[in-house]
Amino acid sequence: MSTDAAHRPPISLYGLQARYANATFTAASKGNMLETVENELAGVKLAAANSPAFKSFLENPLISRDKKEKRVKEMFEGKVSIVTLNLMMVLAGNARLADAPKISDTYSQLMKAKRGEVEATIISADPLTKAQQTAVEAAMKVQVGKDKKVILSTEVDPSILGGLQVQIGDQFLDLSVGNKIDAISRTAM
């Protein structure tokens, strides 16, 4: 059967953007063009961010669905894969072109999960040294598992006073001095 488990998205995401991203992932998987579609959708998102005219076209509700479908076909046909073209045509037909950048982000999430990548953000009061960053990466690797790749980003927020705040996927761990002071002040009252 063509809808077997080999083509299903690696994680379950929900919502409007996820419906389109999941269907696109399945179609791209069947066509063996997952990375191609990921790059094309990232290009659509980038174009929407950098071109006010393109962004306006995507978001303008006054342009009829038929005109948007025709214009999308003119813009994309022969320049992108059939999967990306079909997605953009469906979005135009359903008056959902404005959601294309969010669908791109959701598709990117699916691709990261397929590659075993886990995004983690470390927030510290001062910039981390290379040794500290390496130690944190090693600790993250143990936390997420050896079969996963940690994509680490760091941020500096002096308001936490010291320590770290760690965000791994949808989990948040606050080990900051500011949080400890807040906890002590709440219990002292």
Side-chain angles (χ1 to χ4, degrees):
M1 181 127 224
S2 63
T3 58
D4 62 359
H7 300 295
R8 283 196 200 125
I11 56 175
S12 297
L13 297 176
Y14 302 97
L16 182 70
Q17 291 87 13
R19 280 186 177 192
Y20 288 105
N22 288 336
T24 303
F25 183 93
T26 301
S29 178
K30 289 177 183 178
N32 197 25
M33 51 178 103
L34 288 166
E35 290 81 14
T36 301
V37 172
E38 181 181 26
N39 292 333
E40 291 168 351
L41 291 179
V44 169
K45 179 183 175 187
L46 186 63
N50 293 335
S51 169
F54 184 63
K55 183 177 182 179
S56 175
F57 169 74
L58 294 178
E59 295 175 350
N60 189 342
L62 300 177
I63 302 172
S64 73
R65 292 178 186 197
D66 291 338
K67 285 183 182 177
K68 279 194 175 186
E69 283 180 335
K70 184 179 176 201
R71 186 72 182 114
V72 163
K73 192 170 187 175
E74 290 170 1
M75 280 192 286
F76 291 101
E77 192 170 41
K79 297 175 184 138
V80 296
S81 67
I82 189 68
V83 173
T84 303
L85 177 62
N86 287 346
L87 171 65
M88 296 304 290
M89 293 293 291
V90 167
L91 292 176
N94 292 343
R96 295 282 183 200
L97 278 174
D99 293 322
K102 292 177 185 172
I103 293 166
S104 174
D105 289 340
T106 306
Y107 186 88
S108 182
Q109 272 185 281
L110 294 172
M111 289 299 294
K112 286 176 183 172
K114 178 166 179 46
R115 289 188 291 261
E117 297 174 354
V118 176
E119 289 185 344
T121 304
I122 306 298
I123 303 167
S124 59
D126 296 314
L128 295 178
T129 65
K130 190 68 175 163
Q132 289 171 326
Q133 193 167 338
T134 303
V136 169
E137 270 186 63
M140 295 277 181
K141 191 86 169 145
V142 170
Q143 183 68 29
V144 300
K146 294 182 191 240
D147 59 330
K148 305 273 186 190
K149 180 182 178 192
V150 177
I151 308 296
L152 188 65
S153 63
T154 58
E155 296 177 14
V156 176
D157 180 1
S159 71
I160 68 170
L161 303 177
L164 298 173
Q165 292 178 332
V166 182
Q167 175 95 34
I168 304 174
D170 60 352
Q171 298 174 343
F172 185 77
L173 179 61
D174 193 344
L175 304 170
S176 66
V177 173
N179 183 51
K180 303 269 190 245
I181 290 171
D182 288 345
I184 291 170
S185 68
R186 282 191 302 266
T187 58
M189 292 184 175

